[in-house]
Amino acid sequence: MKFEEILSQHKPALVKKWFHLVLRTYPEETATFLKNENDPFANPVGATIFKGIEDLFDGLIKEGNHKQISSFLDRIIHIRAVQEFTPAQALSFIFMLKKVIRDELKKEFKEKELFDEFLTFESKIDELALAAFNRYVECREKVFELRANEVKNRYSGLVRRLNRIPKTPEEKTKSKSYKK
Amino acid sequence: MSELDGVPKPEELLKIDYQPPRKGWMDTPVNFKPGTYNYPAASKNHKILELPFPREWSPMEEDWKLPENWKEIVVNGIAERLSKYRSFKVFMDICVRCGACADKCHFFLGSGDPKNMPVLRAELLRSIYRKEFTAAGKVLGKLAGGRELTPTVIKEWFYYFYQCTECRRCSVFCPYGIDTAEITMIGRELLYLLGLGINWALEPAAKCFMTGNHLGVYPHTLKDTLEFFADDIEDITGVRVEIPLNKKGADILFVTPSGDYFADPGTFTCMGYLILFHELGLNYTWSTYASEGGNFGLFTSHEMIKRLNAKIYAEAKRLGVKWILGGECGHMWRVIHQYMDTMNGPADFLQEPVSPITGTKFENAKSTKMVHIMEFTADLIKHNKLKLDPSRNDKLKVTFHDSCNPARAMGIFEEPRYVIRNVCKEFYDMPENTIKEKTFCCAGGAGLGNDENMEMRLRGGLPRGNAVKYVQEKHGVNRLACMCAIDRATLVPLCDYWAPGVQVTGIHEMVANALVLKGEKERETDLRGEPLKELEE
């Protein structure tokens, strides 16, 4: 059996374990809720993380293209980039997949002499981590851009008004507001 | 010594435990991290409003410069409010911690912080109530859910009572009807007794007290601003609208939040009102003193609500109008609908509102004499009084965000949807458990809509953003309509982060785009000055 097939076969158990590890980064009361509520609108964080890591798992074993994998990463990172985490904690979820696979399948890979493939796969997880780092920084930059935009929006109307103030005598005779 | 000293070795890295330490909520202190809290109110604003202990202080510093007898002040403050507000007393005693509210708060859903569960937010205050005011709590302390009042508790209050937007979604699910917003309101009142407030709420309140509106806009500036809108409208439609200001003997006084005439995209909604009223030939007036519908007193104290709201009836009386029409605002309608009558009324000098165009009696406003513009416009459309060309909004695929206060404090669900469906062709509601009385907050109301609090706003805005994203992906929605000035400001970054590509609009902006005016020229652009047909990038 090929390396990817073994992973595929164990997918439900691996994704579940991965999910539970990610949930452990939240306080206990929160983790219980995130795990048990299935409605994606009542529990957007839990639902997004579960769907996200499931898609990431598929993307990793099916040689998905980079753009697709980036979009799977995107949703989880958007959330964790604004939650109460340090940057390392926010991205720790990627490395948890290593732990899950090592705990569950390392022995099997050794027995079946698939250790080289295992190491290659771990390198793919490392690449994923680098891609996640890019996305994380983009999200953080976005937060600060939004702060700056807030301030600009407050004054955009004023700027429009300033631009309307007639500057030449011709403009003054044209402007209805300034006739008075 | 290598420069890598102190960096964990590879084998140590593998030992990292990502799990947060297990501690009870009472033992988990607050971490003030930039981006997640609001700046304190400037002392000048405390002085203007004659609030106690004005001073400069910072949440990031250890010493908050509390008054010497701060504990006595807080305990007396709680006692006074327990005797004054029966609801507060009931809310302190009645909670059975069933957990129905726990997962209903947008800040909890987005942040994952258990202290944002409404039950726990209330517990921050309830634990002190138990320790100071119940026999069991006095004797048994922690065993009976009580705890000592310490400066750490005060810091926790400041952090979490300003992480509640008073949206009241949790109260919809509470079997006892406990209204956490009211607990937050009391919590904030107690903090103000110690001179602890936030500037984004107190500065607008102070300006409102001085000039009548949150922005401190003086009469001549308001006049100028509206005249500029008239210029823009003339450029776009070819029709010059009049700006009636302080017109004595007008039929109707129009009151709207200052956000409508100050900040984009609210300004386009304001232009929408001017166009609609012109087309109807309405005998109405603006007031340069009641130049604000919003009331940041609601986010400060009960007394402040009353002080700031008094101008609306005072101006209605001075100008001799028959009744009052109110614009697209959120929390203004909670104040009007649930407080104004008893706080500032009775408005027995006004008449029961009747639409001069359709003759409809607004019986629901019999007592306050103030009508919501969405009821007014829906009634006009129902009676076929407006000539509408919805194709002018063809580039829009619209969804509607029920603003918390009109939805939960007024129950106004169908009128805005009816109006939207009549002015544009494509409208898609978000999922049922995210709209109407279960609507998710924008996470920037109740004074929290400032830029320094952006990260927390994005956390709290996640549930709403998630639902917007869903209709964006499913139906190609590109406009989020709302009828609240705070929403029009706060949903912009929310969409930009959680559902990029979706823009925010007021409803009367869309109404005015679709409204065919007598004598208008062919329209090439919408009120934003953007081409009518193709989508802007």
Side-chain angles (χ1 to χ4, degrees), chain B residues 220-333:
Chain B
H220 57 283
T221 314
L222 177 61
K223 182 172 184 291
D224 261 9
T225 306
L226 297 176
E227 293 285 351
F228 270 107
F229 291 159
D231 288 350
D232 276 346
I233 291 167
E234 190 172 6
D235 284 352
I236 294 162
T237 66
V239 174
R240 183 84 195 169
V241 301
E242 68 289 0
I243 311 289
L245 278 170
N246 299 328
K247 181 174 140 191
K248 287 197 173 177
D251 287 342
I252 297 166
L253 168 64
F254 180 64
V255 179
T256 203
S258 54
D260 278 355
Y261 55 80
F262 185 75
D264 293 343
T267 45
F268 309 116
T269 300
C270 193
M271 286 158 75
Y273 306 142
L274 293 172
I275 292 171
L276 175 70
F277 299 157
H278 167 87
E279 184 60 15
L280 295 171
L282 205 64
N283 181 18
Y284 84 108
T285 184
W286 293 76
S287 155
T288 51
Y289 182 45
S291 47
E292 175 68 65
N295 187 332
F296 275 35
L298 183 66
F299 315 138
T300 309
S301 72
H302 288 86
E303 284 69 27
M304 201 65 72
I305 307 176
K306 187 173 176 174
R307 276 165 95 181
L308 301 185
N309 203 64
K311 64 178 179 272
I312 296 183
Y313 281 156
E315 280 293 85
K317 199 168 194 173
R318 180 177 75 88
L319 297 169
V321 299
K322 292 178 183 160
W323 54 277
I324 310 164
L325 182 63
E328 292 186 21
C329 187
H331 71 278
M332 150 178 161
W333 285 102

Side-chain angles (χ1 to χ4, degrees), chain A residues 29-41:
Chain A
E29 304 88 331
T30 309
T32 310
F33 164 72
L34 294 177
K35 190 161 74 182
N36 296 330
E37 173 61 67
N38 294 323
D39 183 316
F41 302 104

Side-chain angles (χ1 to χ4, degrees), chain B residues 120-131:
Chain B
L120 220 45
R121 195 188 314 280
E123 206 69 15
L124 303 178
L125 183 49
R126 208 177 268 132
S127 56
I128 303 303
Y129 162 75
R130 286 203 198 95
K131 180 80 176 74

Side-chain angles (χ1 to χ4, degrees), chain B residues 324-528:
Chain B
I324 310 164
L325 182 63
E328 292 186 21
C329 187
H331 71 278
M332 150 178 161
W333 285 102
R334 175 148 194 231
V335 174
I336 306 292
H337 202 67
Q338 300 193 326
Y339 295 103
M340 179 161 81
D341 206 5
T342 45
M343 273 185 173
N344 307 113
D348 46 11
F349 53 92
L350 294 172
Q351 296 175 16
E352 186 178 333
V354 176
S355 169
I357 316 296
T358 65
T360 299
K361 262 191 184 178
F362 295 101
E363 286 172 0
N364 55 326
K366 201 172 189 169
S367 183
T368 60
K369 316 287 196 302
M370 187 151 172
V371 175
H372 195 294
I373 193 160
M374 214 51 67
E375 297 169 327
F376 180 74
T377 304
D379 175 64
L380 291 169
I381 295 174
K382 186 85 183 164
H383 287 87
N384 214 13
K385 298 290 182 191
L386 301 180
K387 191 175 173 195
L388 297 166
D389 176 6
S391 75
R392 295 207 288 223
N393 283 320
D394 266 357
K395 68 179 180 184
L396 308 184
K397 289 182 180 167
V398 182
T399 191
F400 176 61
H401 162 77
D402 290 271
S403 305
C404 305
N405 284 299
R408 283 188 277 267
M410 276 188 94
I412 179 164
F413 304 132
E414 296 310 325
E415 289 87 344
R417 288 176 170 79
Y418 177 76
V419 173
I420 294 170
R421 285 199 176 96
N422 276 282
V423 298
C424 75
K425 291 180 194 160
E426 291 198 66
F427 171 73
Y428 305 96
D429 249 328
M430 286 180 273
E432 179 274 334
N433 54 348
T434 71
I435 57 169
K436 299 188 178 173
E437 72 274 22
K438 293 176 193 158
T439 186
F440 277 119
C441 183
C442 67
L448 313 189
N450 50 63
D451 64 283
E452 73 260 20
N453 193 35
M454 184 58 81
E455 192 170 321
M456 191 55 73
R457 282 170 57 191
L458 291 172
R459 292 180 195 175
L462 190 161
R464 169 45 76 227
N466 181 53
V468 175
K469 180 91 184 154
Y470 174 77
V471 285
Q472 183 188 27
E473 285 175 351
K474 192 169 179 198
H475 303 292
V477 161
N478 56 22
R479 270 304 146 100
L480 176 59
C482 58
M483 47 175 196
C484 165
I486 289 179
D487 279 334
R488 277 190 287 275
T490 58
L491 290 174
V492 173
L494 183 150
C495 286
D496 215 0
Y497 191 79
W498 296 113
V502 177
Q503 292 193 6
V504 178
T505 182
I507 297 178
H508 276 79
E509 178 187 341
M510 294 193 294
V511 170
N513 277 329
L515 187 62
V516 180
L517 308 178
K518 290 181 276 292
E520 72 174 12
K521 66 175 189 186
E522 192 180 338
R523 294 214 207 163
E524 286 160 9
T525 70
D526 58 19
L527 292 183
R528 299 184 182 205

